[in-house]
Amino acid sequence: MEAFYYEEATCHFKATLAIEPHAWLPKEGLARIYGDQENYSDAIQLMEEAYSSLPEKFDYLGGFLLPHIAEWKRTIGDDEGAYETARQGYLAEPSSPLAQDRYLRALDRKRDSSSFIQVLNYMHEATWSVTGKSLFVRFLNFGYGLFAEIGSAYRVEGRPRFVIEAMEQALSVVLASKDPHMKIWFQGEFGTFQYQYNDDVDAAMKLLEQALKTLSGAGATVQKEKKWARDNYGNLLARLCFDAAVSGRKDGTNPWPYTKRLKQLATVTSTADEDFADFFDFFGHGYASMLWGCWLRTYERAEESIWRKTFKVRILDELNTLDDEDPSNDMAGLHSLAITLLHLGDDEAAGAILAVLFMPLKVSRDTADEHTKNDHGERDLIEESTDKDAKQGVDKDTRDEESGNERDWEEIHAEDRGSDNSSPFPYKAKNNNTAPHNLPPDVQDQEEATKLSQQSDTDITSHSDPPSPFPRRPTDDISAITINGTTRLALSLDTAWIHECDGPCSTTYYHYTSLYVCKICLGTKFCGECLQLVKEEKLVCRDCSPQHSWYQAWPIPAGKAELVAEEKEEEGAGWAIRKEWLDKLRTEWL
């Protein structure tokens, strides 16, 4: 089954059940196969039967079986069932990393930060006897990737110190290992956590530097596989250097250490001495190059011929995406170009491109207005969804789980297998009490937890957003439109992630009244409500800085999109970039 020979495994399990109908193991195997095949109803039924068939002495295996059921229920939209099953799995075996993961995720989805921290605190106080480390440290070392969920609860609950202590202990275990993948990932994620949730910029920069250094010292294969790490952690480090340099300039302190590192991140190759101008530096198309150009242009007042070099490669790459015959990259190319122009200080051109990108949203919202008018011609109210994950269209739980599954440590597994205890999870609490008697109040009081979950459900109202006016086309389906007698390739536009607010609000892009794009961050966007949180430094996750500036992309100013694009005479039939505008921009940068 692990090799995905599902047909053979299915036959084997069914044959076993024909001989022994009450055996739990073949039911568990069949359930996992059905789950992998997205046959969730049969998977849930069989796994529940497997759990019911367990001998009493094997009740702790509920910490392995029930988490699968919880995940399947969550996938089919049974959030309450998923929560309760995850909770039961954790109660069955509190030391199971899989049960811990599913229960913590369920608490995060319910926004129950108090219970979340209580569970972490219990895990911190309970010791895994094989290694002498806490269950919390052990959980982190398995790489389940819950940094964002932990960070949200950590910040809301007043940043309890034990969380950082556990992460520091987990880091020491990581650094003692021989796994470069885990080292890179943990250093980078811990560094990101230190900035976004703990407000410790110095610690964040140090950890990010360590992650990049580990990556540079790894083999070619690892570097290729971890390109995403170089981009993600390098980009954040570049922004922290830029922000620190700007703060230093304003405070009258020396920004040189930060600008020096920012230039190193931006420069691909260099033949210039530090004491001379940047005439022989070569810059790539990355985010660090843009920020270095912003620093030169805004704070060093460098000559235009100097700072323009930092943007050239990036802009030419972006222009090429608009010239090809692949409509699938139109939105990404235009969005990237708009962000670059914002960093260049060309708000006029950037705003015009953003206006084109937001046209599908305008059409969709106008259509929604028509559909929601009552018999008197007045618009009915549309209730807003509070499900942020649904708004983003991204299953972060699945993404984090897949990320964690790649980081199983041979050392940890070897230690686990080396235990002489009868239970596969030999843990002990530091106060000599053993679980589940020392569980946090949330898991001791089932009625209170049920009451809380029912209370949470009443706060959530779902609704159907109007359909997209521009269905996505496959790559090989190239649409052409005719404008003024000239046939041109139409832009492939749709409502998408670029229209979403990146803040903590639950407002979908069909309902916010304004949206702002940061001119320093890499495409970060906030609605008016969340932008106020940024300015007041009240974001739970610090994704931006109150020292940055923003461009208002929504609502679209009248006539803005027409500066760079043309629309076919029939409204909504399609848009094409003005050739003369594109040629002018390319000539300017060649």
Side-chain angles (χ1 to χ4, degrees):
M1 192 173 74
E2 299 298 336
F4 305 106
Y5 294 119
Y6 290 145
E7 185 175 351
E8 294 84 348
T10 299
C11 292
H12 174 76
F13 289 136
K14 287 183 176 180
T16 304
L17 285 173
I19 300 172
E20 182 53 65
H22 301 294
W24 70 270
L25 193 57
K27 293 178 182 179
E28 184 267 349
L30 271 177
R32 289 173 57 192
I33 290 176
Y34 291 154
D36 289 347
Q37 295 175 338
E38 300 182 1
N39 182 4
Y40 298 120
S41 59
D42 289 345
I44 291 171
Q45 179 181 345
L46 269 172
M47 192 65 85
E48 288 177 341
E49 292 179 7
Y51 178 62
S52 300
S53 302
L54 286 173
E56 186 175 348
K57 65 179 179 179
F58 291 148
D59 283 348
Y60 68 87
L61 289 178
F64 301 90
L65 274 60
L66 294 175
H68 290 291
I69 299 176
E71 184 64 18
W72 296 331
K73 286 184 176 181
R74 186 196 63 81
T75 303
I76 64 176
D78 184 5
D79 292 335
E80 184 55 38
Y83 166 79
E84 187 56 36
T85 306
R87 179 177 175 276
Q88 291 174 1
Y90 177 73
L91 283 171
E93 183 49 80
S95 65
S96 164
L98 184 62
Q100 294 164 354
D101 176 75
R102 295 299 186 270
Y103 186 46
L104 288 171
R105 291 182 190 276
L107 289 172
D108 175 69
R109 286 191 294 270
K110 293 176 74 66
R111 298 186 175 92
D112 188 355
S113 59
S114 176
S115 296
F116 193 106
I117 291 298
Q118 289 173 10
V119 172
L120 288 186
N121 190 45
Y122 164 75
M123 292 168 58
H124 181 63
E125 293 180 350
T127 301
W128 179 247
S129 62
V130 176
T131 62
K133 301 293 184 181
S134 73
L135 294 183
F136 190 9
V137 170
R138 176 172 171 270
F139 177 80
L140 292 170
N141 286 154
F142 267 105
Y144 275 94
L146 276 178
F147 280 96
E149 291 84 352
I150 294 172
S152 296
Y154 170 76
R155 189 123 181 169
V156 171
E157 296 302 313
R159 298 191 288 188
R161 175 61 192 169
F162 79 85
V163 174
I164 296 297
E165 291 176 352
M167 290 185 178
E168 290 173 343
Q169 292 173 26
L171 177 62
S172 66
V173 177
V174 170
L175 296 179
S177 76
K178 298 180 180 180
D179 186 347
H181 296 271
M182 189 64 171
K183 288 181 180 180
I184 295 165
W185 176 79
F186 199 93
Q187 288 169 328
E189 292 304 302
F190 190 15
T192 303
F193 182 97
Q194 287 280 28
Y195 169 70
Q196 291 184 329
Y197 299 103
N198 200 38
D199 297 336
D200 193 338
V201 177
D202 291 338
M205 294 177 72
K206 181 179 179 180
L207 285 163
L208 293 169
E209 290 280 15
Q210 290 176 353
L212 294 177
K213 183 178 180 180
T214 303
L215 179 58
S216 298
T221 302
V222 174
Q223 292 190 33
K224 183 177 180 180
E225 293 175 353
K226 295 296 182 182
K227 181 183 180 301
W228 63 267
R230 187 184 301 279
D231 293 340
N232 291 353
Y233 304 146
N235 287 348
L236 179 56
L237 179 60
R239 183 163 72 78
L240 296 184
C241 287
F242 178 86
D243 288 345
V246 172
S247 297
R249 175 62 63 88
K250 292 180 178 179
D251 296 341
T253 56
N254 184 15
W256 179 80
Y258 303 111
T259 57
K260 177 184 178 182
R261 182 58 179 131
L262 177 59
K263 181 181 176 182
Q264 290 173 343
L265 292 168
T267 307
V268 177
T269 59
S270 176
T271 57
D273 186 273
E274 289 184 2
D275 297 330
F276 293 91
D278 304 349
F279 291 114
F280 298 103
D281 289 326
F282 296 90
F283 301 95
H285 59 269
Y287 177 52
S289 297
M290 285 201 301
L291 290 181
W292 177 240
C294 289
W295 174 263
L296 292 175
R297 178 176 60 85
T298 307
Y299 297 99
E300 294 294 335
R301 306 295 183 185
E303 295 181 6
E304 186 173 345
S305 60
I306 299 295
W307 62 258
R308 280 173 65 91
K309 291 192 306 176
T310 66
F311 292 93
K312 183 173 182 177
V313 173
R314 183 182 180 91
I315 284 187
L316 293 179
D317 282 349
E318 291 161 347
L319 291 174
N320 287 337
T321 66
L322 302 180
D323 265 352
D324 61 27
E325 296 185 349
D326 180 3
S328 67
N329 63 8
D330 287 347
M331 292 195 72
L334 282 173
H335 182 259
S336 182
L337 180 58
I339 298 306
T340 303
L341 292 172
L342 283 176
H343 283 77
L344 267 168
D346 192 348
D347 289 6
E348 185 71 12
I353 294 175
L354 289 171
V356 174
L357 290 171
F358 275 78
M359 275 299 172
L361 181 60
K362 182 178 185 301
V363 173
S364 187
R365 289 179 65 152
D366 290 346
T367 303
D369 284 342
E370 292 298 322
H371 289 168
T372 56
K373 285 182 179 179
N374 57 31
D375 294 338
H376 303 288
E378 299 173 345
R379 185 182 179 188
D380 293 330
L381 293 178
I382 300 179
E383 296 179 344
E384 296 182 357
S385 169
T386 58
D387 189 347
K388 180 69 179 287
D389 290 344
K391 179 191 79 170
Q392 294 177 335
V394 176
D395 188 346
K396 69 177 181 179
D397 291 348
T398 301
R399 181 178 65 243
D400 289 342
E401 180 183 356
E402 291 172 350
S403 176
N405 287 341
E406 296 174 358
R407 308 181 189 90
D408 292 336
W409 285 16
E410 293 182 2
E411 293 88 347
I412 291 179
H413 289 309
E415 290 171 348
D416 290 346
R417 289 192 296 267
S419 171
D420 293 329
N421 292 275
S422 58
S423 169
F425 291 101
Y427 60 90
K428 60 182 179 181
K430 291 180 179 178
N431 58 5
N432 295 323
N433 292 326
T434 57
H437 305 292
N438 191 34
L439 296 179
D442 171 72
V443 296
Q444 291 178 349
D445 190 348
Q446 181 174 359
E447 292 182 0
E448 186 63 25
T450 304
K451 180 180 178 181
L452 178 63
S453 66
Q454 292 172 345
Q455 202 172 42
S456 177
D457 286 345
T458 60
D459 296 335
I460 301 177
T461 305
S462 62
H463 75 280
S464 298
D465 284 326
S468 167
F470 300 119
R472 295 187 185 279
R473 295 186 291 271
T475 302
D476 58 353
D477 182 13
I478 301 174
S479 177
I481 59 176
T482 302
I483 301 177
N484 298 328
T486 303
T487 300
R488 311 263 286 282
L489 291 179
L491 293 170
S492 178
L493 303 175
D494 195 4
T495 48
W497 55 270
I498 65 170
H499 304 125
E500 296 167 353
C501 172
D502 294 319
C505 73
S506 57
T507 307
T508 68
Y509 46 62
Y510 289 100
H511 300 91
Y512 54 61
T513 57
S514 60
L515 192 74
Y516 300 81
V517 182
C518 182
K519 297 167 70 173
I520 299 299
C521 295
L522 194 58
T524 302
K525 307 167 295 298
F526 296 104
C527 66
E529 177 183 345
C530 290
L531 181 60
Q532 190 61 35
L533 295 178
V534 176
K535 294 179 178 179
E536 296 174 359
E537 297 188 89
K538 293 182 178 180
L539 282 180
V540 173
C541 176
R542 188 162 63 155
D543 286 329
C544 193
S545 167
Q547 304 303 320
H548 293 176
S549 55
W550 300 268
Y551 176 84
Q552 184 170 350
W554 182 270
I556 304 172
K560 195 75 169 180
E562 287 75 10
L563 295 176
V564 300
E566 300 173 278
E567 184 181 21
K568 188 176 179 180
E569 284 76 7
E570 296 86 353
E571 185 177 355
W575 288 79
I577 292 293
R578 292 182 182 274
K579 188 176 184 302
E580 62 274 16
W581 180 84
L582 207 59
D583 291 343
K584 179 182 177 182
L585 189 61
R586 178 177 286 103
T587 301
E588 182 180 346
W589 286 94
L590 283 175

